Amino acid sequence: MRVAIIGQGYVGTAVGIAASGAGHDVLGIEIDSSRLASLSVPYHVSGSYSSVVGADVVVIAVPTPLNDAREPDLSFVESACNSLKAVLGTSVLVVNESTSFPGTLRNVIAPILGSGHLYASAPERIDPANEKWDIGNTPRLVSGLSKDATSRAVEFYRSFCKDVVEVSSPEVAEAAKLFENTFRQVNIALVNEFAQIASALEIPTHETLGAAATKPYGFMTFVPSIGVGGHCIPVDPSYLSYAAGKAGIEASFINLANSVNASMPEYIAERISKALGGSLVGKSIQIAGISYKSGVADTRESPAIALIHALRDKGASVSWFDELVGTWNNESSTPLSGVDVGVIATAHAGVDYSAWKNELTMVIDVSIAPNTGWPKFL
Ligand SMILES: NC(=O)c1ccc[n+]([C@@H]2O[C@H](COP(=O)([O-])OP(=O)(O)OC[C@H]3O[C@@H](n4cnc5c(N)ncnc54)[C@H](O)[C@@H]3O)[C@@H](O)[C@H]2O)c1
């Protein structure tokens, strides 16, 4: 099939590589010229929508962030559809992989592109840096606005996904994607709240969680940390709460979980301050790992960055070390050195913490994984 993939970011390139590996004739469309110039993929890429003419399948993989009011921002999806409108042939299969609320395919995408095409939803589930689950072996939910759309979309995804799961409507696929990430967001908030309760009760959090996890059914372990980051867990649940609000339901769990997770950097800054006698003024603190998760360079919504701000607001002098990120906020990664407090926020593999070990540095580990060998702080 001739496949055009709109958006050549994390998702668009992963789909492009998989589809091209399956023998499709792939074209990637990317509007950011510097990103376009830096792409190195085994298929053709272009900044011009005119190259889409003649495509059999169009996959939309553009950002779906939140706006300043933390409500869904579909402007990238709408703008991609407006650009596509002029170049689509007839009976093209248009698939949306971008995460959004139920009804996006039916009520936003299809009305812009118009009748005469086949529409399907196949939300992306890729997990950056996950070595076990990838685009080929993670089950893919698929559903179209018509039977024909569903069967063509299933045929397309079967060509590079082992397990394609057909659901009854695009709304089910869209809502399932949001619910999966909401499940994580709420459970992470719950364990973050539990860490605060356990600390106040002077009970060891991780030993207690390990003890609870000996129950062989009905329990799943989540690990406390400085909060949630990236473009999924802090964002997707708000798409669901927005849709809930439009339908007259208040998504109280989602809203509460957002606020518990967002409060973690401030809570940790407060605990560090207490550990140092009640003030951070004049204290030197270094943060190891500022991206939102181990093994990636992405700092979007990273709680480690919120921690840097919270510590600076309390008067600390804060440097950071993250060779994957390199530069952020016109600041550069500083090699680990002796400071008053070292905080392992995101534990990237292979980091040598001996510079801290050799100095009188108090080390606080609030990371999730891999285990750095330091006692956990939360
Ligand atoms: N990255 C993940 O792990 C992941 C996982 C599952 C779902 N998603 C979802 O997939 C979607 C894409 O995410 P991503 O991480 O690939 O984002 P990204 O920011 O890495 O990439 C999106 C790309 O689309 C380009 N773009 C924006 N508007 C465009 C347009 N009109 N035409 C052409 N290109 C355009 C951007 O320049 C960018 O390079 C989002 O909805 C996201 O929530 C992401």
Side-chain angles (χ1 to χ4, degrees), residues 6-12 29-32 35 49 61-64 76 79-80 97-99 124-126 128 177 231-232 300:
I6 313 303
Q8 288 295 291
Y10 198 84
V11 166
I29 299 290
E30 174 56 56
I31 49 160
D32 177 337
R35 166 124 197 107
Y49 273 78
V62 296
T64 46
F76 295 95
S79 142
E97 290 207 14
S98 310
T99 306
E124 182 56 70
R125 287 169 151 173
I126 199 163
K177 166 72 196 181
H231 37 75
C232 291
R300 281 180 286 180

Side-chain angles (χ1 to χ4, degrees), residues 58-245:
V58 171
V59 175
I60 300 172
V62 296
T64 46
L66 297 175
N67 62 21
D68 290 344
R70 297 201 72 76
E71 288 183 347
D73 172 5
L74 288 191
S75 60
F76 295 95
V77 171
E78 287 164 351
S79 142
C81 291
N82 282 320
S83 306
L84 274 173
K85 198 176 173 175
V87 293
L88 282 192
T90 48
S91 295
V92 177
L93 172 67
V94 178
V95 187
N96 182 37
E97 290 207 14
S98 310
T99 306
S100 188
F101 49 78
T104 299
L105 182 76
R106 193 184 302 272
N107 302 325
V108 179
I109 294 174
I112 299 178
L113 293 174
S115 56
H117 301 299
L118 299 172
Y119 295 98
S121 171
E124 182 56 70
R125 287 169 151 173
I126 199 163
D127 180 20
N130 190 325
E131 286 171 8
K132 183 173 177 198
W133 296 104
D134 57 29
I135 202 165
N137 64 6
T138 304
R140 171 76 69 154
L141 301 179
V142 174
S143 187
L145 286 182
S146 64
K147 275 190 179 162
D148 213 10
T150 304
S151 63
R152 278 197 47 202
V154 166
E155 182 197 354
F156 172 61
Y157 282 97
R158 283 224 169 105
S159 67
F160 58 91
C161 297
K162 270 194 206 133
D163 192 0
V164 175
V165 181
E166 195 181 314
V167 293
S168 65
S169 70
E171 285 75 12
V172 170
E174 292 166 328
K177 166 72 196 181
L178 295 184
F179 187 67
E180 291 156 21
N181 282 350
T182 301
F183 173 85
R184 286 185 59 71
Q185 175 235 19
V186 168
N187 279 286
I188 291 167
L190 179 63
V191 81
N192 280 336
E193 184 176 81
F194 178 70
Q196 298 182 34
I197 296 169
S199 166
L201 298 178
E202 298 181 13
I203 297 165
T205 307
H206 287 272
E207 187 188 348
T208 311
L209 291 173
T214 61
K215 185 178 177 183
Y217 55 89
F219 184 80
M220 189 180 282
T221 305
F222 285 81
V223 182
S225 67
I226 50 171
V228 293
H231 37 75
C232 291
I233 308 296
V235 173
D236 300 354
S238 297
Y239 272 70
L240 190 54
S241 67
Y242 172 83

